[in-house]
Amino acid sequence: MKRFLPLLLVLLAPTALLRADGDLARREWTIGGVTREALVHVPADATRQAAPVVFVFHGHGGSMQQAAASYPVHTLWPEAIVVYPQGLPTAGRLVDRAGREAGWQDAPGADGDRDLAFFDAMRRSLRADYRVDDQRIYTMGHSNGGGFTYLLWVTRRDVFAAFGPSAAIVGRDWGRLRPAPVIAIAGEHDELVKFAWQQKMIEALRWINECGEGRPAGPGCTLYDSKIGAPVMTYIHPGTHQYPPEATALIVAFFKAHPAR
């Protein structure tokens, strides 16, 4: 297979270990007076050897603990710094319109760009504390977290080597996407983010990345080679909106194969 806003005060609080996993540390950032947090896996040699970084965003109503358990990138890629951020109460477009549950902003400028500021703060502190391989920074997420993955693509493209959205689409800002390697996960019976919507999103990704016809790349997987080095891979599973556990290994393999060019 081919190789495949403001400026806000940021304070890094002391790290406290969470023993549920034994391999994740809780970190806090204070941004504009609001405490934000994430679970972070750091390889033992991250201060001496440049490490990849993967940001993993939970879906609406999820949590950083749930993301670490459901999409356990750190167990499949222990050499990487893996960050599981925690969202804040957010009004959803498809569910929880009252905004009682945790989620992520869904467009540039929404919610005062609080989550983009949070991402920027996390990245800055990781680069200050560890040796980060800037050619191997990635992001993935499911549902609303997949939508935020797309938003990072729209607004922070130059930071990332590749993207891994699941059960997600881009809204009106899809035209601002610039070519990048991507693996997209979609369920044929998704009852929330309709499969037909996701199919159109995949068609748009293929057009943006100048991809040709697809070829099989494993069970449920299709690889669309790109004329400009930005392949699209899809994993279409027979399930619903639920994240398929096998997808994490596919995303990690795709990320490993696609450092920034």
Side-chain angles (χ1 to χ4, degrees), residues 166-201:
S166 167
I169 60 173
V170 181
R172 60 182 179 272
D173 295 300
W174 75 269
R176 294 174 58 186
L177 294 174
R178 288 181 286 139
V182 57
I183 175 169
I185 314 299
E188 293 178 312
H189 300 285
D190 194 325
E191 73 287 358
L192 187 61
V193 183
K194 306 299 185 185
F195 183 56
W197 303 347
Q198 296 185 64
Q199 285 180 306
K200 290 184 180 298
M201 188 71 242

Side-chain angles (χ1 to χ4, degrees), residues 28-43:
E28 291 184 350
W29 295 259
T30 300
I31 306 172
V34 178
T35 299
R36 304 299 304 264
E37 59 182 339
L39 295 180
V40 184
H41 163 80
V42 179

